[in-house]
Each structure stands twice: as structure tokens, then as C-alpha cells.
Amino acid sequence: MLLLWRSRCLGRALGRSLRALRQGNCTLARCSLSGVAGSQGLAYMNSRKLVVNSSSVFTVRYFRTTAVHRDDVVTVNTPAFAESVTEGDVRWEKAVGDTVAEDEVVCEIETDKTSVQVPAPAAGVIEALLVPDGGKVEGGTPLFKLRKTGAAPAKAKPAAAPPPPAAPEPVAAAAPPPAAAPIPTTMPPVPPVSTQPIDSKPVSAVKPAAAPAAAPPGEAVPSKGARSEHRVKMNRMRQRIAQRLKEAQNTCAMLTTFNEIDMSNIREMRAVHKDPFLKKHNLKLGFMSAFVKAAAFALQDQPVVNAVIDDTTKEIVYRDYVDISVAVATPRGLVVPVVRNVENMNFADIERAIYELGEKARKNELAIEDMDGGTFTISNGGVFGSLFGTPIINPPQSAILGMHAIFDRPVAVGGKIEVRPMMYVALTYDHRLIDGREAVTFLRKIKAAVEDPRVLLLDL
């Protein structure tokens, strides 16, 4: 009997707990018992001690918690920026009242170096925008309020097609057919033929004349050929690019030296090994990896090109590592992600790093850390068909290599005129630090390594 009584008491307690847990958004009740005696019952009162049969004292405690409501309103703050970035401009992708799914981009924050996307933490509806479009924000600034709905917004179902119109009822009595016309017995007269030439046009050339759109009342209609202009605010990235390039012109004593590279051997090597390279590494073999590796080889041979002047302390900082910035053009502006420790990479490692950074740049997913640093820059204007150009130094670096398009040109080879695929290359350097001898030697080192990649293997 004692065991049966205890089981019944515990059964009642579990039943009440389960009934409380079944309530979705209502209050959850959890009961905790501090003591159970042999033959005494349980009385569920308001958190107090009960004396049953004057032999035992029971303490009934209730822990009440509120379930997370689906319509909670949360405030989303600006994510933390990198140390070199203090503020950014907000550009809204959504408006008040728009429904968003979890991780859907609500706004972008344009900084000096990149754009930071701010996603929705959960599915819901935009309650309020706390910062105007184009407003400046810092890390931790409240951006918008989101009312959670607990699920992604359902797509609107297409409207059902209207039912077909009902068939008309048959007429009770059909109208009698008209009387047949008399059959003609003579040919109709032939019209006279015009002696003027006929101006024929194809049917596709005959188009209906469009009626001119009526201008709104009180608005002047622009005349044909009128010249107009409009203004667009520069984004922060474009402003920063303009500022840095002008600083480079004002600070560095820039000088450019040129050379040309015969691309015959590297093109033949690529044609022979591109398929096995793709099969093994799942990457396309391009020319950029050869130039990046050749630049790292030349930077180790001429370490002054890899150095930089510290204008604050008036010292020359020599770097024992090679981090090469690769310029990538994006719709928002020019970005220069960094391939780090190139001196320890082979062609496959370089191609993989460039591919990953390029994909992140095109998807606007570059982080500040991807573009910080860099000891040397390579800019490839040849992808746009550039024949010749003088690149501008990317401060605080001391030199930049400009690649250009490959064109077949007649050149003298062994006393004979031959047509070879040639590329012009340009090295712009800071003449305050780098003399002409080091600059020309550096560029010739790149020329030798690209024209004959065996130079890299033999360390010549």
C-alpha cells in the first residue's frame, strides 16, 4: 500500500508538470519538492510549508519562467570594426515593414577599405530603422529593430486562374440563312496600272507610329539633344582610394622604369600542363602565379624594394617576409587583398590563394584583415587590354609592378625577325629609397624568371 500511494503521488506531480509544459507560449510551471514522507499526501498550494497529519513538513517550491515569445523585438547593433577602421556609412537594403529571413542582409556599412554586411539575426519584420540612409555609425551603434516571427516569411502563392466564362445558352430559334446572291456571269473590269515606280518595304519594317507621351502639366519638355548632368555622392571606399593615391603622389618621389617580357615559354608551359594542373589541383593555371612567384624571387634578391621608409622615426624598415598585394577591380572600387608568405608558396598555392581572394572580393566578403599589410603590389591592367601604363605606389609600400596585355609583335631573335607574344611591364618605385640600379635589376630579375621558369628552380 505504501508503494502504491507513493506512485500515485508522483504520477499526479508528473501529470501536472506535463500539462504545464504543453502550453506553448504560456507560463511554464516547474515544481520542486524538498521532502516526501511515507504516508502523507501532497498539497499544491502557493509556495509554502504544509503540515500533513501533524508528522511531516513539506516545502513546495515553484519556479516560473517565461517562454521566448515569437514576437519579441530585438535591437541589432553595428558589428565591431577592425582596429584601423573607426566608422562607416550605412546603406539600407530593407525598409520599415519589410519581412526578412534569417541571415538575410538588411544593410551594408561602407568603410574606408571594405563593406560590412549586417544580416538579420532571425526571421521577422523590420520595426524601425535607427540610423538614416548614409548616416555614420561606429562599432556598437544601434542600427534597427526587428520583430521576430519565428519563421521565414512565406512566399506569396500565385493567384488562382479565373474560371473560364460560361458557355452561352443556345438560342431557341436560329435565324434563317440569308438568300444566296446571284452568280456573276462577266469578269470585273481591271484597274489601270500606275506608271510610277512602287516603293516597296518589308512587312517587318512597317511599325505603328507611337503616340508622343504627354508631358505633365507645368513641366518643361527637354528638347532633343539637350545636355544634362547629375551628381552622385562618393562612397567611403572611393574617397579613401582618392585620398591614399594623392598622399602617395605628395609623399613619394615616384619614378617608373620599363621592360618587355617574351611570353613564349610561359605560354607553352601553360598550354602543356594546364590540364594536368586542373585535374590535380582543381584550379586553372594562369600567368599571375608566375609573376607573383617571380616577384617574390626578385624581392629576396633586392630586399630594398621590399623595404619601406618610416617617416616618423626616419628609419628604413626591412621586411624578411614577402606579402604581395594583388589589385582586384570590383564594382565598388579597387581593392588589394594580400597573399602572405609568398616566398614559401609554389604555383598551386599562389593560384589557390588568388582564386579565394578574388571570389571574396567579387562577393563583397573581404574582411579588413584580408587587405591589411602587404610589402609589394602587382596590378594587372592587361585583363582590360592595357598596352602601357605607369602604376601608382600603394602606400606605405615602396614599389608596384604593372602588368599589361600580351600582343604579338615582331622582335629580333638571334639576328632574325620573329613574331613573339610580348608584354610590357612597368615598375614604379619610391626614388627616396630605391635607386635606379636596384629598380632595373629587380625588373630584369622578374623578366628572367618569367621568360624561363627554370631560373626559379636553379635559384639563378
Side-chain angles (χ1 to χ4, degrees):
M1 293 295 294
L2 179 60
L3 294 176
L4 181 59
W5 177 260
R6 287 184 177 179
S7 64
R8 288 179 178 176
C9 292
L10 292 176
R12 294 192 194 100
L14 290 174
R16 296 192 182 192
S17 299
L18 290 175
R19 283 195 299 272
L21 289 173
R22 287 193 190 102
Q23 301 175 1
N25 293 330
C26 299
T27 306
L28 301 178
R30 299 177 184 176
C31 303
S32 174
L33 305 179
S34 60
V36 179
S39 60
Q40 283 75 26
L42 296 178
Y44 284 84
M45 304 296 288
N46 290 329
S47 297
R48 57 189 179 184
K49 295 181 179 180
L50 300 179
V51 179
V52 182
N53 293 339
S54 301
S55 59
S56 298
V57 177
F58 295 86
T59 302
V60 182
R61 293 181 298 169
Y62 295 92
F63 298 92
R64 300 181 180 272
T65 60
T66 303
V68 177
H69 292 282
R70 294 179 180 177
D71 57 350
D72 282 348
V73 177
V74 296
T75 301
V76 180
N77 298 329
T78 304
F81 297 139
E83 295 181 359
S84 58
V85 178
T86 58
E87 63 180 12
D89 295 340
V90 177
R91 184 171 61 84
W92 291 105
E93 301 285 346
K94 301 294 182 180
V96 175
D98 288 352
T99 56
V100 293
E102 186 176 358
D103 294 332
E104 186 175 356
V105 176
V106 179
C107 68
E108 288 188 0
I109 302 177
E110 295 181 347
T111 66
D112 296 342
K113 296 184 177 181
T114 185
S115 295
V116 180
Q117 295 181 342
V118 181
V125 180
I126 304 296
E127 280 270 313
L129 303 180
L130 307 179
V131 179
D133 190 61
K136 292 182 174 57
V137 294
E138 298 179 353
T141 303
L143 283 175
F144 62 94
K145 291 185 178 181
L146 175 71
R147 179 174 295 277
K148 297 181 181 179
T149 58
K155 294 184 179 179
K157 296 182 179 180
E169 297 181 358
V171 182
I183 300 176
T185 58
T186 59
M187 294 293 293
V190 179
V193 180
S194 175
T195 58
Q196 299 294 329
I198 299 175
D199 185 13
S200 61
K201 285 185 179 181
V203 176
S204 58
V206 179
K207 297 181 180 179
E219 182 178 344
V221 180
S223 61
K224 185 177 181 180
R227 304 191 305 167
S228 61
E229 61 182 23
H230 64 282
R231 295 173 180 262
V232 178
K233 183 180 179 181
M234 292 175 64
N235 57 42
R236 293 183 67 92
M237 184 183 296
R238 176 54 58 186
Q239 294 179 24
R240 183 59 175 167
I241 292 172
Q243 178 185 355
R244 287 174 60 84
L245 293 180
K246 193 58 183 174
E247 285 177 356
Q249 281 189 327
N250 295 337
T251 303
C252 301
M254 288 191 290
L255 187 63
T256 305
T257 184
F258 303 93
N259 214 316
E260 59 181 359
I261 297 178
D262 186 352
M263 301 291 291
S264 301
N265 289 336
I266 193 70
R267 177 180 280 185
E268 181 183 357
M269 185 190 77
R270 179 177 179 270
V272 172
H273 299 291
K274 64 178 181 180
D275 292 336
F277 189 89
L278 177 64
K279 184 177 180 180
K280 180 177 181 178
H281 301 287
N282 197 24
L283 293 167
K284 292 182 178 180
L285 179 61
F287 296 127
M288 181 60 76
S289 56
F291 277 89
V292 171
K293 189 62 181 177
F297 177 68
L299 288 170
Q300 291 177 305
D301 184 73
Q302 298 292 327
V304 67
V305 183
N306 202 43
V308 66
I309 295 177
D310 188 345
D311 293 314
T312 304
T313 60
K314 305 301 180 183
E315 296 175 338
I316 300 175
V317 181
Y318 288 90
R319 285 85 164 248
D320 299 327
Y321 53 89
V322 177
D323 292 348
I324 295 183
S325 304
V326 180
V328 179
T330 67
R332 298 179 181 274
L334 186 69
V335 294
V336 280
V338 181
V339 182
R340 305 187 189 279
N341 298 320
V342 182
E343 72 277 9
N344 300 324
M345 290 184 173
N346 56 26
F347 277 46
D349 296 333
I350 295 172
E351 288 288 354
R352 182 174 293 105
I354 293 175
Y355 173 79
E356 293 174 354
L357 291 173
E359 284 296 308
K360 292 175 70 174
R362 280 184 283 273
K363 296 178 181 178
N364 195 27
E365 296 177 355
L366 280 176
I368 302 297
E369 295 78 12
D370 295 327
M371 295 180 286
D372 275 346
T375 62
F376 185 77
T377 297
I378 297 179
S379 176
N380 185 8
V383 295
F384 306 109
S386 173
L387 174 65
F388 211 76
T390 55
I392 299 178
I393 294 175
N394 179 25
Q397 301 172 10
S398 299
I400 179 173
L401 176 69
M403 299 168 53
H404 300 92
I406 303 172
F407 291 103
D408 290 339
R409 295 202 307 272
V411 293
V413 179
K416 299 179 181 180
I417 302 297
E418 296 184 8
V419 176
R420 294 290 184 93
M422 305 297 294
M423 174 194 288
Y424 287 118
V425 289
L427 177 72
T428 299
Y429 57 96
D430 188 354
H431 208 356
R432 299 179 303 163
L433 175 63
I434 305 170
D435 293 330
R437 182 189 65 177
E438 286 81 6
V440 173
T441 303
F442 174 84
L443 197 55
R444 287 180 59 85
K445 204 76 173 179
I446 291 180
K447 171 183 171 68
V450 173
E451 288 185 343
D452 188 359
R454 291 173 296 184
V455 172
L456 299 174
L457 298 177
L458 300 176
D459 192 18
L460 299 178

